[in-house]
Amino acid sequence: MASTSSSTLSQALLVRASLKHGSTRLTDHRVSLSACDFPSFSGLRASTRAVVLRHVPKHRPVIASVRASAAKTVDVTTDASLVEKSVNTIRFLAIDAVEKAKSGHPGLPMGCAPMGHILYDEVMRYNPKNPYWFNRDRFVLSAGHGCMLQYALLHLAGYDSVKEEDLKNFRQWGSRTPGHPENFETPGVEVTTGPLGQGIANAVGLALAEKHLAARFNKPDNEIVDHYTYAILGDGCQMEGIANEACSLAGHWGLGKLIALYDDNHISIDGDTEIAFTESVERRFEGLGWHVIWVKNGNTGYDEIRAAIKEAKAVKDKPTLIKITTTIGFGSPNKANSYSVHGSALGEKEVDATRKNLGWPYEPFHVPEDVKSHWSRHISEGSNLEAEWNSKFAEYEREYPQEAAELKSIITGQFPAGWEKALPTFTPENPGDATRNLSQQCLNALAKVLPGFLGGSADLASSNMTLLKMFGNFQKDTPEERNLRFGVREHGMGAICNGITCHSPGIIPYCATFFVFTDYMRAAIRLSALSQTGVIYVMTHDSIGLGEDGPTHQPIEHLASFRAMPNILMLRPADGNETSGAYRVAILNRKRPSILALSRQKLPQLPGTSIEAVQKGGYVVSDNSTGKYPDVILIGTGSELEIAAKAAEQLRKEGKAVRVVSLVSWELFDEQSEEYKESILPRAVSARVSIEAGSTFGWEKIVGSKGKSIGIDRFGASAPANVLYKEFGLTVDGVIAAAKEVC
Amino acid sequence: MASTSSSTLSQALLVRASLKHGSTRLTDHRVSLSACDFPSFSGLRASTRAVVLRHVPKHRPVIASVRASAAKTVDVTTDASLVEKSVNTIRFLAIDAVEKAKSGHPGLPMGCAPMGHILYDEVMRYNPKNPYWFNRDRFVLSAGHGCMLQYALLHLAGYDSVKEEDLKNFRQWGSRTPGHPENFETPGVEVTTGPLGQGIANAVGLALAEKHLAARFNKPDNEIVDHYTYAILGDGCQMEGIANEACSLAGHWGLGKLIALYDDNHISIDGDTEIAFTESVERRFEGLGWHVIWVKNGNTGYDEIRAAIKEAKAVKDKPTLIKITTTIGFGSPNKANSYSVHGSALGEKEVDATRKNLGWPYEPFHVPEDVKSHWSRHISEGSNLEAEWNSKFAEYEREYPQEAAELKSIITGQFPAGWEKALPTFTPENPGDATRNLSQQCLNALAKVLPGFLGGSADLASSNMTLLKMFGNFQKDTPEERNLRFGVREHGMGAICNGITCHSPGIIPYCATFFVFTDYMRAAIRLSALSQTGVIYVMTHDSIGLGEDGPTHQPIEHLASFRAMPNILMLRPADGNETSGAYRVAILNRKRPSILALSRQKLPQLPGTSIEAVQKGGYVVSDNSTGKYPDVILIGTGSELEIAAKAAEQLRKEGKAVRVVSLVSWELFDEQSEEYKESILPRAVSARVSIEAGSTFGWEKIVGSKGKSIGIDRFGASAPANVLYKEFGLTVDGVIAAAKEVC
């Protein structure tokens, strides 16, 4: 592993982050900052050893009536009227920002301001001046439409990402305060939410990462990994299936440091939740293996909220759901407790009425001095917390140099030098194999050299071939292991992996199912792409080549559907070298996810393929032309590259000059220089034939109007794979016939 | 409404079904039979009035120890040894078929044979010779991989769709017994399952349809709609989020005639469910508002299963989950209770051992005579059941002619003549409006003329504009109403609508969310397309035009992703006439689903658009060319057609001959004659510019290599819509500039 001065590294990255963020965000979002990019490790050497006590203000009527049984982990008590003022500050920052934008969701921030205040002011441990500090508590606003809650809290806490002008720019072009929380726009936001249910599943991933790293790296004398994950979710999140999937896993895994605050406000967009949501959430969560607490007065019951969080922290073996009954739009005399306050500005009149009602004399966006002063301590406290942890890490590094090196790699995302050499290489003499099996070789090779590599399948490990043989299963009592068992929960799996990736730059999760079932997890995959997380999707059974399971299991449109999606790499390797090459690309691309489409069926090791060439997306596998241009170009991907190669052999015997091109990743090929692309697919050669066992949609771009695409533009069928290939015309003869037609 | 002799109709359709099925299935699956096509209504006039008693065999040791409190609705008791023999017949038909195919899933049929036998032999009411009889009990095998269970049962029950040769052809090209149950291949299969969790959600839809129709049409003296819906689901289905979504709704709606048998066998593909699934399913379902029963011995506890079903039928106000603990692969001495029996043939040796173990001396595929004879009664009984119902319907028709006409339309799928005239028409003088609002006009117009039209939104009714104003909400106590309130459960919503559509040919459900959240329900939408159900997907907020909600809410790749999907219509109307035209197409297409992408923002009523032209998919909106060909063709869809039209105006002022084409549905355009397509997009005109607020992926096919596509190949951003259109270059000036470049 490259040894870098940690101190320098940390500071440099922080500077780079802010510079980059400022300079690029307006022009191109695709290159903008990803929260996952910036290592939170600083490793400053023992500048202080003093234990930092959290702030205890002077005027202190003790108001928290803590349950005797709960551990005392909420450390701050504050003058009750100041708390109320802080809470109202949060409410009005949200009201004012939405009002100015004439767009947004004031209802949730107004109702959740008390729990938000308690979390950010009293409970959570973070450093506002380094949002990427490794050991921070994580917070996820699963009900992402309420993002003004989070922006208000980040603003009060002193994060540089949300200044007053950012609040005033809420939902405007180029602002750091977009309409839903986006990790790549706003340092301090851990994950991208808004699509409901995703955030709570991300939180499960964050808590999983903590539990795993703690189990691997903590020592009896040094618990170097130790933080909580908090989430706020609403009724909408609760209704989404993905939330149930993820929460079932959280219960199964016993993620005791996951604390979910459920904003039970009885209102969703269509009105009272009575019209569609009358289940007992508590009983369901008990069934899922969670500890459940109900805070009946979430509007003003600060002590109840505090006590519930304490109780939750005391329960170590189960995640906790705190159901907190609130009033949406609390404080608005005419709109509270109605859907009208959910997703629209209050309107000038109602803003005034709310100001009166809550006794708020201030101008829009004003933070009263005493509130400001109260919150200002978080900057020094956060800095102290990080310094304290840094000294702890320095000790850890002295005592446990090997573990420290591994952990550092996970924290920084700097991989051990030469890791790529672990990937297997092949020659045409090597026996043929399904790319799903070749994939397993790669997964196992990578797990040996990348400390943060872990993953699993949605109950298809033995079909997807995803088991890491050197490791056991990550389970409640064996969290140090690296095989994740997701059960049949594709959507939850994807979102959990997004959360895992966002925990630390050096953690790389992979997850697997049949390629067709990307349909179940597409919303999570899209968020991988949007939020710039480098999740690796291992998708086997990638075509009709899976055979008898039939059309419900046979992907047709899936390659095209992902090629159309921004910021994601769709890779379809043809053999061993290309599979290794695809993994190399996937590991190197930490700012965009990769999907590997892999075969169930055996494929030969083809002459001409290479690991390195995969990074170009498309390249020449073979060419017998002696002049400048071939007579015809045959283009294939994955399992059909073999067919293209065989057709080329035949055509060459008949005297044709034939080039065979592997188009393993369209996105990577698109990114190459015009010269390179011309060298592979010269404009002068319009005689082109493509073959791919999937929809031909989009192939016109590659073969042009004079070329031909062989594919499948209907659903598949249930029959042995070889029968299907023949019946659907995906044959060497078919390619030859098409080639003769075009040239 | 057209008045047809019901008797003639029924018979004719049945003949057409079998002919069509036989003659087309091998050549083109896309034209093959959809179960949803064939009206189950026969309406035979009162051939018998006798009450049909279900079979009571002669040798009868009464074995059912029925709980006293349960209603006596399981009517048949049979010699225990014959039951055992029948159950083993089911097991060996599954074993033998999988063995012959060397592919398939024997474990579930072996474990679920007892419950399967009881359902099809003792409990369910159906007519094997008319699988489409309207009032039949519905059965859904949600654990679709166990399809040999269903094929064996259909075979024993006397369905013509599963003869012995069909069993021998299991999973082969062109067979009626594909690898997972497919309604369009096998009459008797209600819905297409395999992708886990879908089936139980379909069952919720079927039960919803029954409850709705019963509430609308039943009279105190004539309960003309009266059947149960049964489903078998496994651990895999239970883990899927979609199942939780749908079951939460089933509990909320109080679907008392839905009975789900949960095959609790503790084995999934990855091994014991202990590794990923330790929640309490019972407690979760209690939380969801279900009645829950546990049958501890599902292997041989026939009486327990019978009693549980009786109890379930007696509970009228809640759906029932019967957890039935079974042994996967029951009877296999070496493979039972292991994942190895889940998804592979037993192998010759183990088949022999199982034959020995269960005392089964017969040849493969043999049905013992006494078993055959026992089951044979279902043909006459089924015929009698239908005849009885027909006479009941004849009475109903006499007493309630108006209701009978409506119900008949729902049963047959024959819509009232002239229904299309209800759709609103527009002229350019009409005020502009968002297509989501115009859509609401269409929905409300259609609900007035189509008796089977109903639907709703996933908690976005007031944004999707989907409320039917003349109706109330379908709820537990108001099931006669037609506004469905799905809550934030997109995936469940889609699958429930698939189930509703499959109930009767004349029921047309629509469902709605933001277009971007098709990602949440894509697996259900794909099954709409595959299983040929004509669900209408009302997808609003169809581009960056939604503005401030930002990239998590802005579809980019979605149009392309559905254009690549087989057998689905992707429609993007530009104004009022096109919206009406899109609904006309959607209603007429009962064998494929339609997705309508609709704008949040206001659009003008454009000159040149028309309702009728939409059915061609693409057409000329305006053209000022005087010669044969225009100088340039501008092509737009949806909200961007306006931009194309404005650019054309400008270019015409500059002396250009410009054609504007609306490409409202690529699929429909593709299906037109070559002549028609040439008349719209002449090959000779390579100067083409497209504009669409989405991915340009696929547009090369339309604009050719010399054309230009204006679109968005990155994620969107949070800002007002007009700012986004400008920043992303979707402007009149942009189109003009591109047009000048290409011509």
Side-chain angles (χ1 to χ4, degrees), chain B residues 192-449:
Chain B
T192 296
T193 56
L196 292 174
Q198 299 287 337
I200 181 66
N202 297 159
V204 172
L206 289 164
L208 179 155
E210 196 273 346
K211 182 164 175 148
H212 172 69
L213 297 178
R216 270 173 70 184
F217 294 105
N218 284 358
K219 304 290 176 182
D221 65 339
N222 196 329
E223 302 215 332
I224 195 66
V225 184
D226 177 25
H227 71 78
Y228 284 84
T229 301
Y230 298 93
I232 293 179
L233 71 165
D235 292 306
C237 290
Q238 289 289 17
M239 289 188 248
E240 290 285 5
I242 183 178
N244 194 71
E245 291 181 8
C247 291
S248 178
L249 281 169
H252 171 75
W253 287 327
L255 301 179
K257 290 165 91 175
L258 172 62
I259 299 174
L261 291 77
Y262 162 35
D263 175 29
D264 167 50
N265 67 28
H266 273 278
I267 295 293
S268 67
I269 294 177
D270 278 357
D272 195 295
T273 52
E274 282 297 313
I275 69 171
F277 188 50
T278 49
E279 66 176 56
S280 164
V281 172
E282 301 95 302
R283 197 172 301 182
R284 177 161 61 87
F285 270 77
E286 283 164 9
L288 299 180
W290 286 53
H291 181 67
V292 180
I293 307 171
W294 183 12
V295 169
K296 291 185 185 166
N297 174 10
N299 295 329
T300 57
Y302 299 105
D303 287 354
E304 285 178 62
I305 298 172
R306 291 183 180 110
I309 294 173
K310 286 197 186 192
E311 183 180 327
K313 290 175 100 169
V315 174
K316 305 283 188 196
D317 61 338
K318 288 178 175 186
T320 297
L321 182 81
I322 308 176
K323 170 172 153 169
I324 306 183
T325 301
T326 69
T327 303
I328 192 170
F330 180 89
S332 159
N334 304 302
K335 295 192 167 181
N337 199 30
S338 83
Y339 76 91
S340 66
V341 80
H342 166 87
S344 316
L346 292 179
E348 203 178 320
K349 209 175 129 192
E350 189 65 12
V351 171
D352 287 348
T354 308
R355 277 188 147 69
K356 267 200 199 94
N357 188 41
L358 293 177
W360 199 252
Y362 307 105
E363 288 300 293
F365 298 101
H366 182 75
V367 179
E369 279 310 316
D370 46 355
V371 172
K372 204 177 276 178
S373 150
H374 174 74
W375 279 82
S376 65
R377 76 189 190 285
H378 287 289
I379 291 174
S380 57
E381 273 193 18
S383 165
N384 289 344
L385 282 170
E386 181 169 351
E388 181 193 8
W389 183 84
N390 285 341
S391 62
K392 206 167 159 183
F393 188 83
E395 273 178 49
Y396 188 89
E397 206 166 20
R398 271 195 301 276
E399 292 291 318
Y400 311 103
Q402 200 180 327
E403 290 91 330
E406 282 209 354
L407 181 56
K408 215 177 198 174
S409 168
I410 286 170
I411 294 174
T412 62
Q414 289 186 321
F415 302 134
W419 65 268
E420 294 153 287
K421 289 179 197 137
L423 289 165
T425 59
F426 300 84
T427 68
E429 289 68 42
N430 289 123
D433 207 345
T435 48
R436 63 174 170 153
N437 292 332
L438 299 160
S439 160
Q440 189 166 38
Q441 289 187 38
C442 294
L443 293 171
N444 277 277
L446 291 170
K448 281 183 196 138
V449 292

Side-chain angles (χ1 to χ4, degrees), chain A residues 90-137:
Chain A
I90 297 163
R91 289 195 177 113
F92 280 97
L93 288 176
I95 291 170
D96 295 339
V98 173
E99 200 61 26
K100 182 161 192 296
K102 293 191 179 28
S103 170
H105 301 75
L108 183 141
M110 292 165 77
C112 290
M115 64 181 100
H117 168 88
I118 290 171
L119 282 176
Y120 269 80
D121 190 52
E122 302 179 10
V123 174
M124 281 170 52
R125 297 160 67 88
Y126 55 88
N127 180 7
K129 296 304 171 197
N130 180 9
Y132 308 111
W133 170 42
F134 169 73
N135 204 40
R136 69 195 181 276
D137 286 335

Side-chain angles (χ1 to χ4, degrees), chain B residues 676-700:
Chain B
Y676 179 79
K677 285 188 269 190
E678 173 68 17
S679 78
I680 307 301
L681 298 176
R683 265 183 215 91
V685 185
S686 64
R688 303 178 183 185
V689 175
S690 72
I691 179 160
E692 183 174 75
S695 169
T696 60
F697 191 83
W699 272 100
E700 291 83 2

Side-chain angles (χ1 to χ4, degrees), chain B residues 420-496:
Chain B
E420 294 153 287
K421 289 179 197 137
L423 289 165
T425 59
F426 300 84
T427 68
E429 289 68 42
N430 289 123
D433 207 345
T435 48
R436 63 174 170 153
N437 292 332
L438 299 160
S439 160
Q440 189 166 38
Q441 289 187 38
C442 294
L443 293 171
N444 277 277
L446 291 170
K448 281 183 196 138
V449 292
L450 299 175
F453 197 71
L454 80 176
S457 158
D459 195 48
L460 288 168
S462 55
S463 293
N464 301 141
M465 306 307 291
T466 47
L467 278 188
L468 302 178
K469 293 170 185 171
M470 63 196 291
F471 297 111
N473 292 334
F474 174 91
Q475 293 288 1
K476 188 173 185 172
D477 299 322
T478 52
E480 69 282 6
E481 301 291 351
R482 298 208 220 162
N483 284 303
L484 304 178
R485 302 292 204 156
F486 291 102
V488 192
R489 303 181 182 95
E490 299 82 6
H491 202 180
M493 174 171 73
I496 288 170

Side-chain angles (χ1 to χ4, degrees), chain B residues 543-564:
Chain B
S543 76
I544 53 159
L546 65 85
E548 290 90 342
D549 273 347
T552 52
H553 285 55
Q554 292 163 352
I556 297 291
E557 68 279 16
H558 298 76
L559 290 166
S561 81
F562 287 112
R563 287 172 184 152

Side-chain angles (χ1 to χ4, degrees), chain B residues 404-626:
Chain B
E406 282 209 354
L407 181 56
K408 215 177 198 174
S409 168
I410 286 170
I411 294 174
T412 62
Q414 289 186 321
F415 302 134
W419 65 268
E420 294 153 287
K421 289 179 197 137
L423 289 165
T425 59
F426 300 84
T427 68
E429 289 68 42
N430 289 123
D433 207 345
T435 48
R436 63 174 170 153
N437 292 332
L438 299 160
S439 160
Q440 189 166 38
Q441 289 187 38
C442 294
L443 293 171
N444 277 277
L446 291 170
K448 281 183 196 138
V449 292
L450 299 175
F453 197 71
L454 80 176
S457 158
D459 195 48
L460 288 168
S462 55
S463 293
N464 301 141
M465 306 307 291
T466 47
L467 278 188
L468 302 178
K469 293 170 185 171
M470 63 196 291
F471 297 111
N473 292 334
F474 174 91
Q475 293 288 1
K476 188 173 185 172
D477 299 322
T478 52
E480 69 282 6
E481 301 291 351
R482 298 208 220 162
N483 284 303
L484 304 178
R485 302 292 204 156
F486 291 102
V488 192
R489 303 181 182 95
E490 299 82 6
H491 202 180
M493 174 171 73
I496 288 170
C497 286
N498 284 335
I500 294 173
T501 325
C502 285
H503 187 278
S504 294
I507 308 192
I508 308 178
Y510 64 89
C511 64
T513 182
F514 291 159
F515 189 32
V516 77
F517 296 139
T518 50
D519 285 351
Y520 274 72
M521 57 194 303
R522 196 170 166 92
I525 296 176
R526 188 177 207 256
L527 278 167
S528 300
L530 175 61
S531 62
Q532 303 173 12
T533 67
V535 177
I536 301 175
Y537 292 94
V538 180
M539 296 293 147
T540 72
H541 297 59
D542 72 343
S543 76
I544 53 159
L546 65 85
E548 290 90 342
D549 273 347
T552 52
H553 285 55
Q554 292 163 352
I556 297 291
E557 68 279 16
H558 298 76
L559 290 166
S561 81
F562 287 112
R563 287 172 184 152
M565 188 182 278
N567 200 44
I568 193 164
L569 294 175
M570 180 69 247
L571 296 135
R572 191 162 185 255
D575 66 359
N577 286 329
E578 287 202 355
T579 303
S580 288
Y583 273 103
R584 184 170 167 276
V585 162
I587 298 292
L588 288 171
N589 275 271
R590 296 290 83 229
K591 290 188 71 172
R592 54 180 166 178
S594 298
I595 304 182
L596 277 68
L598 301 164
S599 76
R600 175 184 188 238
Q601 71 272 33
K602 199 172 173 173
L603 304 172
Q605 308 296 347
L606 295 169
T609 59
S610 98
I611 295 181
E612 295 68 32
V614 171
Q615 70 191 330
K616 302 274 193 185
Y619 64 100
V620 176
V621 173
S622 67
D623 191 337
N624 69 325
S625 55
T626 48

Side-chain angles (χ1 to χ4, degrees), chain A residues 64-78:
Chain A
S65 69
V66 179
R67 299 187 200 181
S69 67
K72 205 173 175 200
T73 45
V74 176
D75 305 326
V76 179
T77 51
T78 306

